Amino acid sequence: MLSLIYFELFKTFSKWRTYIGFITVGIIIPLILYVVHLSGSNFADEGPIRSMKKEFFIVGNLANGWFFAQLIMLSLWVHIPFLITLVAGDQLAGEATSGTFRFSLIRPISRSKFLFSKYITTLIYTALLVFAIALLSLGLGLYILGSGDLIAFDEGSITILSEELLFNRFILAYLLATISMSVVATLAFLFSSFVENAIGPIIATMAILVCLLVISNLPVEYFNNYKPYLFTTYQNAWSFAFNDVLDWDKITKAISVQVSTIILFYILSLTIFLKKDILS
Amino acid sequence: MKKFYFFICLGFYLQLLNAQFKTAEQIIEAVGKKYELIDDYIANIEAAVDMDRVKVPKMNVKIYFRKPDKFHVESKNFAMIPKEGVTLNPAEILKNFNAQLIGVVEINSRKVYKLKLNPKVIQKQFVPESYVYIDFEYLYLVKLESSQSETRSIDINFQHTFVDNKYYLPEKIILKFENKIPDNLPDNTQRPNQQRIPRAGNVTILYKNYQINSGFPDSVFTQKEKP
């Protein structure tokens, strides 16, 4: 099984499109950081902090690397999912497009093992992309902007987290982000099992993601009954790591819904793939 | 009932006659003279914020003061220190306010002068209403009540300590911010949550390790914070 995963990893990382995500974050993050560095410390002074300055002396380096890394995590709503679908959507459909399915399945392995190895590869790619974002935004951010306490905004309230808490909190945030992104990757993987062209799964995943995000964030009472079961409701679960006191019930619920969705999507992929008439 | 009011007024009048000072200006000048002895001070302060929509860990900062009004806050970590209260220099009150002696009242079983402060320059339509309470015996600031706008007011309670057997300086300040408009009024909801200043709550400040007249360099007030 391990050699199968290794083989799939080798195939995936031999493709040019796998690096599009890494190149994108490798350009965007330093670019944003450069702009933030040029704008000085003002970027953290917007909104509530600016109004608080009327009554309070505000001291300390708020425009620091931690704050920058938190800002970058806002891209986990739509931008990073798109980069993930580029690879996840290609996992099965790519084989069909290039006509290598039958060739791969000639080997004495079961379809389920083949699918599982591809799926693990997708998850490894997803985790690596989140890790790259973490490394770049935190590493470069802390190096250039320095360290300090973190100011976290949550529904109009301000939470200041002490510097000594932040390393663990960010690890938790990136773990939660990896789970959220894995749901998106699994959805793209599911669509990839339907078709023989990678464009379809990418577009379908993004369309569903955007639709569900709208429903999850729309303040309409009609949707309130459905929201707790939508994985997009927990797309920002990483932000729970920056609450003043960690609400483990909320975190556990988010993880439960997301992991359940992952399992459901994977079982559907497996069912479809096992019954699929492979002609290419 | 009339007799009751008569005796209250009489008592109040007698207290004023008995008082050391007859006008608000005399009181503030006397307070100012006490503070004149202090050219500068450094102190460590520990501040705890308990306000709506703000969660901040306890803060430890170093403050530098030089008369008349130079003030600098230094902290390795994030800190938000209320400007009211910590920057208040009683010796400077008469520069900005006309004071009026209201009477002698009791706060925490101590007699205090109650003065009303009217700003000399009115910049807004709203005229802020402020009262200061000054200890009858030792002439230090006990309390300040101020309405900063039609909707917002602040109460500051001071507890003093005798430093170096010479100076009465604050050892604890409790600031209480109040907002008169409830959250659900349309005027307030028009502003996005993130742009509203924290509403009600308390800030408690503890002063420690006063260093008085140490003559630290003036460059402290011009240095920029290091990132």
Side-chain angles (χ1 to χ4, degrees):
Chain A
M1 190 67 204
L2 280 176
S3 57
L4 207 58
I5 293 170
Y6 173 77
F7 179 64
E8 285 304 329
L9 277 172
F10 180 79
K11 274 203 300 186
T12 302
F13 282 90
S14 304
K15 286 181 186 170
W16 157 245
R17 71 161 61 203
T18 306
Y19 296 97
I20 293 175
F22 293 102
I23 291 168
T24 308
V25 297
I27 293 170
I28 290 289
I29 291 175
L31 186 70
I32 298 172
L33 187 58
Y34 177 69
V35 173
V36 163
H37 184 55
L38 281 186
S39 69
S41 61
N42 297 332
F43 79 98
D45 289 354
E46 296 301 321
I49 289 295
R50 182 180 287 178
S51 53
M52 278 164 63
K53 280 189 167 176
K54 289 175 193 164
E55 289 185 349
F56 295 88
F57 288 110
I58 304 285
V59 287
N61 178 21
L62 282 180
N64 55 44
W66 301 108
F67 184 71
F68 173 75
Q70 187 193 218
L71 278 185
I72 291 294
M73 289 184 93
L74 293 173
S75 64
L76 291 164
W77 284 103
V78 175
H79 308 86
I80 304 304
F82 175 72
L83 298 176
I84 284 167
T85 57
L86 289 180
V87 171
D90 187 54
Q91 280 298 330
L92 295 169
E95 294 272 3
T97 309
S98 53
T100 51
F101 250 149
R102 277 196 294 188
F103 176 72
S104 300
L105 291 170
I106 282 170
R107 290 176 295 168
I109 50 158
S110 65
R111 279 196 187 192
S112 56
K113 276 188 178 175
F114 178 76
L115 189 84
F116 187 67
S117 63
K118 279 200 167 293
Y119 182 61
I120 293 296
T121 304
T122 308
L123 292 186
I124 290 171
Y125 166 78
T126 305
L128 281 176
L129 191 62
V130 174
F131 181 71
I133 293 165
L135 201 69
L136 269 174
S137 56
L138 271 181
L140 278 179
L142 288 172
Y143 178 70
I144 293 171
L145 300 174
S147 188
D149 295 339
L150 174 74
I151 179 165
F153 302 110
D154 177 31
E155 292 171 0
S157 68
I158 300 166
T159 302
I160 304 291
L161 293 172
S162 297
E163 192 180 352
E164 57 265 30
L165 293 175
L166 294 179
F167 185 72
N168 290 339
R169 292 297 186 98
F170 268 86
I171 287 177
L172 178 64
Y174 286 119
L175 282 175
L176 292 169
T178 306
I179 296 172
S180 297
M181 294 303 101
S182 297
V183 185
V184 177
T186 315
L187 181 64
F189 190 78
L190 167 65
F191 285 127
S192 184
S193 67
F194 281 112
V195 293
E196 300 194 346
N197 187 318
I199 302 293
I202 295 166
I203 293 170
T205 307
M206 291 312 295
I208 285 184
L209 184 69
V210 170
C211 286
L212 293 183
L213 276 174
V214 169
I215 292 171
S216 289
N217 292 298
L218 214 58
V220 177
E221 208 179 323
Y222 178 78
F223 293 124
N224 284 353
N225 292 334
Y226 304 102
K227 282 180 186 176
Y229 307 104
L230 298 177
F231 70 90
T232 43
T233 305
Y234 311 97
Q235 187 89 345
N236 68 334
W238 57 267
S239 66
F240 300 163
F242 303 126
N243 289 349
D244 182 36
V245 178
L246 290 176
D247 185 344
W248 285 108
D249 286 343
K250 211 160 74 168
I251 292 170
T252 311
K253 191 181 174 190
I255 293 173
S256 309
V257 172
Q258 289 182 322
V259 171
S260 306
T261 312
I262 286 173
I263 293 169
L264 177 73
F265 287 167
Y266 181 74
I267 290 171
L268 280 173
S269 309
L270 184 64
T271 312
I272 291 161
F273 190 67
L274 289 178
K275 290 183 178 173
K276 192 170 183 161
D277 192 8
I278 292 170
L279 302 167
S280 58
Chain B
M1 198 64 181
K2 278 182 183 172
K3 271 186 182 175
F4 176 71
Y5 282 119
F6 172 75
F7 281 114
I8 283 189
C9 290
L10 185 68
F12 175 70
Y13 182 69
L14 285 175
Q15 254 185 337
L16 274 183
L17 279 180
N18 191 34
Q20 203 178 346
F21 304 102
K22 307 292 180 245
T23 66
E25 284 77 12
Q26 285 175 348
I27 296 166
I28 292 172
E29 275 167 15
V31 174
K33 272 183 187 164
K34 289 197 135 197
Y35 284 88
E36 265 177 16
L37 300 169
I38 302 168
D39 291 325
D40 60 58
Y41 69 75
I42 303 171
N44 294 323
I45 67 176
E46 189 183 294
V49 174
D50 176 19
M51 297 186 80
D52 294 346
R53 300 198 303 272
V54 179
K55 288 159 190 164
V56 187
K58 269 194 180 171
M59 298 163 287
N60 289 293
V61 304
K62 198 170 189 177
I63 57 165
Y64 296 81
F65 168 80
R66 173 156 292 151
K67 73 178 186 185
D69 54 5
K70 285 182 179 172
F71 201 81
H72 175 69
V73 183
E74 202 174 270
S75 171
K76 274 203 292 184
N77 300 94
F78 172 83
M80 49 184 283
I81 304 296
K83 289 179 180 173
E84 297 267 1
V86 289
T87 55
L88 189 69
N89 180 2
E92 295 289 296
I93 288 176
L94 285 178
K95 271 191 183 174
N96 303 316
F97 296 94
N98 292 315
Q100 181 192 345
L101 177 59
I102 303 292
V104 178
V105 294
E106 270 197 12
I107 292 178
N108 298 330
S109 312
R110 282 193 70 82
K111 277 204 283 185
V112 293
Y113 292 108
K114 180 178 181 180
L115 312 181
K116 185 177 182 186
L117 302 178
N118 300 304
K120 284 184 176 171
V121 181
I122 299 166
Q123 290 167 335
K124 300 173 194 168
Q125 271 190 323
F126 174 78
V127 183
E129 203 167 85
S130 303
Y131 294 94
V132 285
Y133 298 80
I134 291 167
D135 188 84
F136 190 86
E137 191 179 353
Y138 296 110
L139 296 172
Y140 56 73
L141 213 58
V142 174
K143 188 176 178 181
L144 172 79
E145 293 170 349
S146 174
S147 50
Q148 298 168 317
S149 68
E150 283 165 339
T151 58
R152 194 155 174 79
S153 66
I154 179 170
D155 278 10
I156 310 172
N157 285 286
F158 299 84
Q159 287 175 25
H160 282 68
T161 182
F162 203 38
V163 182
D164 297 345
N165 295 322
K166 267 188 200 170
Y167 319 100
Y168 269 106
L169 283 166
E171 73 171 346
K172 186 177 184 180
I173 300 179
I174 300 170
L175 298 98
K176 189 176 180 187
F177 295 90
E178 275 183 14
N179 244 335
K180 288 165 192 165
I181 291 184
D183 267 326
N184 53 3
L185 276 195
D187 274 355
N188 240 351
T189 47
Q190 278 171 3
R191 297 181 76 188
N193 257 346
Q194 292 205 346
Q195 287 184 8
R196 283 189 276 158
I197 53 175
R199 300 177 153 278
N202 300 320
V203 179
T204 307
I205 296 172
L206 296 173
Y207 285 75
K208 289 171 189 168
N209 307 328
Y210 273 111
Q211 295 171 49
I212 296 161
N213 297 336
S214 62
F216 58 84
D218 224 31
S219 58
V220 167
F221 301 104
T222 51
Q223 71 192 17
K224 283 189 175 179
E225 263 187 68
K226 288 170 192 170

